[in-house]
Amino acid sequence: MAARTRGSGFPQADTSGAAAEPPGWWLGSGSSEVFLPEETRAAAPVDFLQELPSYQSALRRRAAAGGTQERRTAPQGSAGLRAAEARGPEQEGGELGVRPAREYPLSIAEKRRLRDCQQADIKYLSGWKQWKRTSSKSLKKVLNEAKELSSYLELWRHDIRSIEGKFGTGIQSYFSFLRFLVLLNFIIFILMFSFVTLPTIISEYGIFNSSFAKIPPKNIEPHCTVYKPSGNKGLVYFYTYLKDLLSGTGFLEVTSLFYGYYTIDAAWLSILRYNLPLAYLLATFAYLALSLLWIIKRSGEGFKQNLVHDEDQFQSYCNKVFAGWDFCITDPNAAQLKHRSLQYELQTDLEEERLKRKIADRTMKEKLRIYSLRIFINIIVIAVLSGCFYSIYRATVFSQENSNDVSNTNFQANLLVQYLPSMVITLANFIAPQIFSFLIRFEDYSPAFEIRLTLMRCIFVRLANIGVLLFSLWSQISYCATDKCKACGYNYELYPCWESEVGQEMYKLMIFDFIIILAVTLFIDFPRKLLVTHCSCKPVQWCGLQEFGISDNVLEIIYGQTICWIGTFFSPLLPAIATIKYFIIFYVKKISLMHTRKPAARPVRASSSNFFFLVVLLIGLVLAFIPLGISIAHIPSSKACGPFRSFNTSWAVVPDTILGFPTGLQQVLHSIASEAFAVPFFMVICLVMFYFIALAGAHKRVVEQLREQLVMVRFDPVFCTPKVFFVLSVIRHAEEQQFS
Amino acid sequence: MPVSPARVARGAEGGAAGRARPGARRCHGSGRVTCEAEAARAAMGGSASLLPREALCEYQELTFLSKQEILLAYKRFSELLPKEERENACSARVPKSQILTLPELRANPFQHRICRVFSTSYDGDDSMSFEDFLDMLSVFSDSATSDIKSHYAFRIFDFDDDGTLDRKDLEKLVNCLTGQGEESRLSNMEMEQLIQNILEESDIDKDGTINLSEFQHVISRSPDFASSFKIVL
């Protein structure tokens, strides 16, 4: 191909062996060359690009699917489909047809012809390739069948689809999230049940020739080991059962629901020794690790996008416009709402952009005023938070002191005192967000940032409240005045089995949370709907129905899930209760949504919702690690009940087991935990991280430079279109390298 | 008026020209087993209007739909036809007005473009045959690759069918999104600002239009596309 020159000094098309020339690809350099894709099969282009792994894979792809370019340009001109139709058969006749027919954007008739050609070509392939092709085809078929079958097992498939059709993908993502939590809790329950509860029950009842051993702990003061739970005392009033059911005391305390039941040191199933304490601890670590890995796997996509690109992907205009319409909406009313919310969203974003420009023009005096106002408001926020925490602390202390003193006669008062911490927490979770959304108006942020900051504050309030409750419980439990008490390490008189106490508190929190959700739906949502439908006076109509606030609902269930994670160590059957609770909540929320709510004015997008839910869930999980870590490793385990009687702390069972290993293994484990290993390991990890950061930076620079080149390339119209496609595919591969 | 047997025959001729065909095998075969066999069977007044098994397998192979979805699509498609034509559902064409009564398309602002893009009618009346209908569902299904989806999204958004998305196309697109009434449109200034932003983000070669490659590039970075570009019966 002859070189083409342009009078205005545009880059020359270089024909021969461009590989021999040094890379002249950059703007402003002396001899700039632009390579031609048609010739790259024969002569490789500039050296630098040759080295790009993305270029290599782009070459491989082009060789494999040579007809792709032509098909992509098919829409030019009005005979789109038919043009491809004409070109299709000749194109595919000679190639290997690596992709199955259905992945080509053609009509079914054309795909049929394409497939016929691919089949015809099989005859000309060698036997090995033929076999490979047919076996991969049958494998794909089997996988498809398996996928179809497994889709039947999906829980609530039809319900979620109908919600999606009526309300869009934002609200549907909430219900998918709920389904995910049901599954997660079910798996955690299976884990704890099969490794902790089942062996205990088997050995207690002597099934399969099993037995158990209760080794009395040595070196422990006898007064620490006294534990007499009330259990069933024969004839009692009926309401005692109700009270016990609601607060986890009485007959419920001695069941396998709570930690105190597992007072077994070793179980024997015929001749195998089952180390229950170790199993208990390891099952705890296992369910935490499982939750962490599953959440990270689910949020993988969102993280990748956010880390690699600078611009906020969820806020980009292209995302809002090109992926703005939910094609699955079937209800005309919902479509109308969607139109309005899209209009609102676009207008708000454009407004925000104009606002940002205005903000950049602020004077120094204004900035000073605004920053001092923000500091003042943050101080108020901190004051509100401290108020919440203090009230929870006092309520917990009061509840603990009085529930141990009062007699069983006044049923309601006793129940009230038992549930006082839960009620205070729920009240704080309700009031604090209202205060925050009121205060944020004065801080003069952009609307999107306002929403995010309020959300962050609400998340913090909800999760920190649980932490404060646990902290106040512990301060009560480990408060030691006498020497006798110090010998045990905890307050043995009031809390002979303190883990069961903590388990009971978590149980109460969970039950109360569930009751509140049901009560709000029954006693607030439905009457409100009845009022709005039948009463036509002005203030009622102005109030209207409540919106389905996704973030509020999500925070609610994440709060419940954090309680479950913390509580499972103290109450192994708690995940079962959580599973049932979320199962019922799905239906309650669905009915409430369909009948009593109006959809939110500001639309929530599915992808950003999913990402947000999983990030907050992760925060909850990480916050759950802290109290569990302190309980397991720091606070002395109770000596009167539980599998860790003979150990100092719950964690002590692990070093104990390691001492029982053969010496070689012990030495290996000790060396892994020592500094001589940890420091070099840490340094290697840092080096690897720096390497990947540098690689990502280099790819980013290449992407930028290629983008600049594309603008230049546009002025070469004869070669323009294929070149643009090719370079764009190289850019895309470079970006994909950044992902990995 | 069903035009199909002639069209199918034309297609068959084009496909058979100058190519050796292996013997027709069940499900892997390339025989013309689909519509002609069914039409023949229907003509003989045979079985009820179900999809023949070979056709089902073939459609499974050529589209991204599962067996259940194809059967459901067949059922819904035949319901759109008047009673006497239901026997030949596989080869009949449904006029555009009927297709737009489907709930999945009824509320969709892009309904006309969808019919235009997927219809293979030579008359230009945007009527759809069963295979066009399947094609549409396949592109909008869960398992379609994002390449296919973005390709067809581009064609749907290209209102003037010129192969690029220029300012006019983008303006029509935004108007479709915000609704048809006068008060639901963006003001001129807002529209200008919005189109400017879109072009800034997606127009890499800065020629003022978005071609297919740039569109696919920007869609690949759009996290919402896969979940919103979906129709399920």
Side-chain angles (χ1 to χ4, degrees):
Chain A
M1 255 200 197
R4 241 157 284 238
T5 53
R6 307 235 162 227
S8 44
F10 283 172
Q12 296 198 1
D14 187 72
T15 58
S16 58
E21 306 277 332
W25 184 243
W26 278 257
L27 278 174
S29 63
S31 62
S32 25
E33 294 149 326
V34 177
F35 64 89
L36 305 168
E38 289 87 348
E39 296 162 316
T40 50
R41 284 198 190 123
V46 291
D47 286 328
F48 171 77
L49 280 174
Q50 219 182 336
E51 283 159 29
L52 267 183
S54 43
Y55 170 72
Q56 301 294 333
S57 50
L59 263 190
R60 261 183 268 127
R61 255 217 197 174
R62 272 181 44 82
T68 322
Q69 276 178 208
E70 280 72 359
R71 194 168 301 104
R72 278 185 183 165
T73 59
Q76 286 170 8
S78 58
L81 262 179
R82 282 157 241 157
E85 202 177 347
R87 258 177 261 141
E90 293 100 48
Q91 222 63 40
E92 313 321 320
E95 69 172 46
L96 292 174
V98 199
R99 297 199 298 177
R102 65 184 184 177
E103 291 187 17
Y104 290 102
L106 305 166
S107 73
I108 285 193
E110 286 149 6
K111 282 192 270 198
R112 209 177 268 137
R113 255 174 274 148
L114 174 59
R115 186 204 56 193
D116 293 348
C117 301
Q118 289 180 351
Q119 302 264 275
D121 289 338
I122 288 184
K123 280 188 13 181
Y124 301 112
L125 291 176
S126 67
W128 162 249
K129 287 211 178 119
Q130 227 171 6
W131 178 83
K132 221 168 64 163
R133 202 90 85 73
T134 42
S135 66
S136 73
K137 241 185 168 177
S138 23
L139 184 69
K140 274 192 204 138
K141 249 189 146 71
V142 166
L143 285 174
N144 268 344
E145 299 276 322
K147 221 168 48 161
E148 260 179 73
L149 282 174
S150 69
S151 72
Y152 280 123
L153 297 171
E154 210 177 309
L155 189 63
W156 293 319
R157 203 158 134 254
H158 182 70
D159 292 296
I160 293 188
R161 210 157 261 179
S162 70
I163 292 175
E164 193 176 28
K166 281 199 73 175
F167 296 99
T169 48
I171 293 188
Q172 174 258 349
S173 59
Y174 167 77
F175 286 93
S176 302
F177 182 64
L178 205 49
R179 175 174 61 187
F180 163 65
L181 282 183
V182 168
L183 286 172
L184 180 67
N185 279 316
F186 186 66
I187 302 282
I188 294 179
F189 164 66
I190 298 279
L191 194 68
M192 288 301 271
F193 186 76
S194 43
F195 286 104
V196 174
T197 315
L198 204 58
T200 313
I201 294 182
I202 287 181
S203 54
E204 288 236 334
Y205 290 104
I207 312 173
F208 302 134
N209 249 346
S210 58
S211 59
F212 64 94
K214 283 194 184 185
I215 307 167
K218 359 177 200 338
N219 306 333
I220 303 289
E221 309 292 326
H223 59 260
C224 295
T225 61
V226 170
Y227 175 52
K228 291 193 184 56
S230 33
N232 263 331
K233 282 196 293 243
L235 281 177
V236 287
Y237 283 113
F238 172 72
Y239 61 69
T240 322
Y241 283 114
L242 196 61
K243 166 175 163 298
D244 289 340
L245 199 66
L246 286 175
S247 56
T249 48
F251 80 94
L252 216 50
E253 193 170 339
V254 293
T255 59
S256 55
L257 183 60
F258 291 113
Y259 178 93
Y261 181 78
Y262 301 90
T263 312
I264 291 178
D265 298 291
W268 272 280
L269 303 153
S270 25
I271 43 163
L272 296 167
R273 182 170 180 271
Y274 187 78
N275 190 345
L276 189 74
L278 187 66
Y280 199 104
L281 199 64
L282 289 183
T284 307
F285 293 154
Y287 84 72
L288 288 172
L290 172 76
S291 311
L292 184 67
L293 290 173
W294 200 344
I295 295 175
I296 289 183
K297 177 178 161 294
R298 251 181 99 95
S299 55
E301 272 312 310
F303 276 137
K304 261 202 286 198
Q305 296 276 352
N306 256 359
L307 284 176
V308 173
H309 293 284
D310 285 335
E311 320 95 52
D312 190 354
Q313 284 308 299
F314 305 120
Q315 301 302 320
S316 86
Y317 287 100
C318 283
N319 185 41
K320 286 183 200 212
V321 168
F322 294 137
W325 183 261
D326 281 337
F327 279 70
C328 41
I329 289 184
T330 52
D331 183 35
N333 288 330
Q336 199 48 32
L337 275 162
K338 184 80 181 173
H339 282 304
R340 262 189 276 153
S341 67
L342 273 171
Q343 180 194 2
Y344 177 77
E345 188 186 5
L346 288 172
Q347 281 173 334
T348 325
D349 286 336
L350 293 170
E351 163 99 31
E352 198 170 313
E353 201 187 332
R354 290 195 287 266
L355 204 70
K356 268 198 202 144
R357 288 189 215 143
K358 211 178 67 175
I359 288 177
D361 300 332
R362 272 201 198 129
T363 65
M364 185 53 92
K365 201 168 117 189
E366 272 182 36
K367 276 195 195 161
L368 213 60
R369 185 187 70 90
I370 288 198
Y371 285 146
S372 47
L373 187 62
R374 283 183 191 167
I375 291 178
F376 176 63
I377 291 189
N378 276 314
I379 292 179
I380 298 183
V381 163
I382 293 179
V384 166
L385 284 174
S386 329
C388 287
F389 294 159
Y390 184 69
S391 48
I392 293 174
Y393 175 74
R394 291 254 28 114
T396 314
V397 166
F398 179 79
S399 157
Q400 289 296 313
E401 283 169 1
N402 289 20
S403 62
N404 289 326
D405 293 342
V406 81
S407 58
N408 284 340
T409 48
N410 197 342
F411 170 58
Q412 288 96 331
N414 193 306
L415 210 57
L416 209 68
V417 166
Q418 295 262 6
Y419 270 88
L420 195 61
S422 320
M423 288 196 258
V424 171
I425 289 185
T426 307
L427 210 62
N429 284 343
F430 176 70
I431 294 181
Q434 311 279 348
I435 300 182
F436 293 153
S437 34
F438 173 71
L439 284 176
I440 196 124
R441 273 179 250 164
F442 301 108
E443 291 185 81
D444 203 13
Y445 288 116
S446 62
F449 190 72
E450 259 184 29
I451 294 182
R452 271 192 217 167
L453 190 59
T454 318
L455 217 52
M456 282 291 128
R457 286 177 178 159
C458 294
I459 293 170
F460 181 69
V461 158
R462 279 185 184 259
L463 297 178
N465 281 343
I466 308 178
V468 170
L469 172 71
L470 286 169
F471 168 75
S472 23
L473 268 179
W474 280 321
S475 65
Q476 290 289 101
I477 289 171
S478 28
Y479 172 67
C480 260
T482 65
D483 276 339
K484 271 177 103 180
C485 165
K486 287 207 179 79
C488 297
Y490 55 91
N491 193 342
Y492 69 93
E493 289 162 26
L494 291 175
Y495 308 106
C497 191
W498 63 265
E499 284 100 339
S500 284
E501 287 287 331
V502 179
Q504 281 164 358
E505 280 300 327
M506 297 288 116
Y507 173 79
K508 278 187 271 187
L509 275 180
M510 186 163 276
I511 298 285
F512 190 68
D513 188 41
F514 182 50
I515 291 176
I516 287 289
I517 293 180
L518 286 179
V520 163
T521 311
L522 272 176
F523 299 123
I524 298 188
D525 286 341
F526 275 99
R528 187 164 171 173
K529 160 88 186 237
L530 284 172
L531 211 58
V532 168
T533 329
H534 296 291
C535 170
S536 43
C537 56
K538 271 284 172 55
V540 170
Q541 289 301 324
W542 175 78
C543 238
L545 293 174
Q546 188 165 15
E547 284 181 1
F548 189 86
I550 292 187
S551 29
D552 291 328
N553 281 296
V554 164
L555 286 185
E556 217 169 45
I557 58 181
I558 288 181
Y559 164 75
Q561 185 59 38
T562 311
I563 296 175
C564 178
W565 274 322
I566 298 178
T568 303
F569 177 73
F570 304 105
S571 161
L573 294 186
L574 206 61
I577 300 178
T579 308
I580 299 174
K581 171 183 164 197
Y582 286 137
F583 195 86
I584 297 178
I585 286 181
F586 182 91
Y587 289 106
V588 166
K589 289 286 176 189
K590 178 172 172 241
I591 294 175
S592 161
L593 173 71
M594 298 275 194
H595 297 287
T596 66
R597 302 290 184 122
K598 64 177 188 209
R602 193 178 169 93
V604 186
R605 301 192 162 272
S607 59
S608 55
S609 314
N610 280 332
F611 183 62
F612 160 68
F613 300 163
L614 292 167
V615 164
V616 180
L617 198 60
L618 210 56
I619 294 177
L621 180 62
V622 168
L623 283 181
F625 284 155
I626 301 177
L628 275 179
I630 296 180
S631 285
I632 292 177
H634 187 68
I635 302 185
S637 53
S638 57
K639 307 290 178 285
C641 67
F644 302 109
R645 280 193 313 170
S646 18
F647 304 100
N648 237 345
T649 61
S650 311
W651 170 257
V653 71
V654 170
D656 210 58
T657 319
I658 290 184
L659 285 173
F661 286 163
T663 10
L665 194 56
Q666 264 189 58
Q667 277 181 340
V668 168
L669 288 171
H670 277 297
S671 61
I672 289 181
S674 68
E675 292 95 10
F677 179 80
V679 170
F681 182 68
F682 178 69
M683 282 173 48
V684 167
I685 296 271
C686 281
L687 279 174
V688 169
M689 204 171 64
F690 283 137
Y691 166 72
F692 279 117
I693 292 177
L695 195 65
H699 279 287
K700 235 188 221 175
R701 275 193 296 278
V702 170
V703 166
E704 289 309 318
Q705 280 158 355
L706 285 174
R707 274 175 178 257
E708 288 169 16
Q709 285 305 302
L710 260 179
V711 181
M712 263 178 46
V713 148
R714 175 161 70 89
F715 295 106
D716 208 357
V718 179
F719 301 105
C720 175
T721 317
K723 201 174 301 188
V724 165
F725 291 151
F726 179 73
V727 177
L728 269 174
S729 72
V730 172
I731 291 182
R732 213 183 323 166
H733 289 286
E735 289 183 337
E736 276 165 21
Q737 298 294 321
Q738 279 180 301
F739 282 140
S740 51
Chain B
M1 185 87 109
V3 159
S4 49
R7 276 201 71 242
V8 171
R10 208 183 306 149
E13 280 156 22
R19 206 165 292 114
R21 247 193 273 149
R25 285 169 287 149
R26 284 259 294 246
C27 287
H28 304 285
S30 53
R32 308 279 95 212
V33 282
T34 55
C35 291
E36 289 143 344
E38 212 243 315
R41 200 176 302 161
M44 288 190 297
S47 50
S49 56
L50 285 175
L51 208 49
R53 188 147 160 238
E54 298 86 13
L56 190 61
C57 277
E58 195 188 30
Y59 288 143
Q60 245 188 312
E61 195 185 342
L62 293 179
T63 64
F64 290 100
L65 301 170
S66 69
K67 236 181 245 193
Q68 256 58 34
E69 291 167 345
I70 298 178
L71 288 172
L72 182 58
Y74 187 73
K75 177 163 157 284
R76 298 287 292 275
F77 189 78
S78 26
E79 281 164 12
L80 291 174
L81 291 169
K83 270 218 152 60
E84 53 281 0
E85 294 185 23
R86 285 206 191 149
E87 297 295 315
N88 296 353
C90 197
S91 36
R93 293 201 87 88
V94 171
K96 180 163 153 183
S97 50
Q98 277 290 95
I99 291 274
L100 294 184
T101 60
L102 280 173
E104 287 78 14
L105 287 182
R106 184 176 53 190
N108 198 320
F110 299 104
Q111 43 184 227
H112 300 284
R113 285 299 305 163
I114 291 177
C115 286
R116 168 63 62 90
V117 166
F118 286 101
S119 157
T120 52
S121 152
Y122 286 134
D123 304 333
D125 61 353
D126 293 345
S127 59
M128 287 178 74
S129 69
F130 178 59
E131 296 192 345
D132 297 337
F133 189 61
L134 274 188
D135 249 335
M136 180 186 84
L137 291 175
S138 163
V139 167
F140 282 108
S141 75
D142 262 330
S143 13
T145 59
S146 80
D147 252 353
I148 289 267
K149 281 191 194 247
S150 51
H151 180 104
Y152 276 99
F154 183 79
R155 296 200 18 214
I156 290 176
F157 294 152
D158 187 9
F159 284 83
D160 49 11
D161 278 324
D162 64 352
T164 58
L165 297 181
D166 54 13
R167 290 190 109 94
K168 286 213 190 46
D169 289 326
L170 290 175
E171 199 173 317
K172 281 200 206 134
L173 171 61
V174 173
N175 283 332
C176 274
L177 287 179
T178 56
Q180 285 311 317
E182 260 316 305
E183 70 286 349
S184 58
R185 299 193 169 200
L186 298 183
S187 70
N188 279 336
M189 184 190 70
E190 288 170 339
M191 184 68 80
E192 267 310 305
Q193 190 187 353
L194 182 59
I195 294 183
Q196 193 55 41
N197 280 324
I198 294 177
L199 287 175
E200 231 173 76
E201 285 175 12
S202 52
D203 189 14
I204 300 185
D205 58 3
K206 310 255 183 288
D207 61 353
T209 65
I210 305 176
N211 60 28
L212 178 61
S213 254
E214 290 164 345
F215 183 77
Q216 286 184 313
H217 182 243
V218 84
I219 287 292
S220 70
R221 286 163 39 193
S222 162
D224 281 320
F225 184 70
S227 55
S228 66
F229 203 71
K230 204 166 48 159
I231 292 181
V232 186
L233 283 182

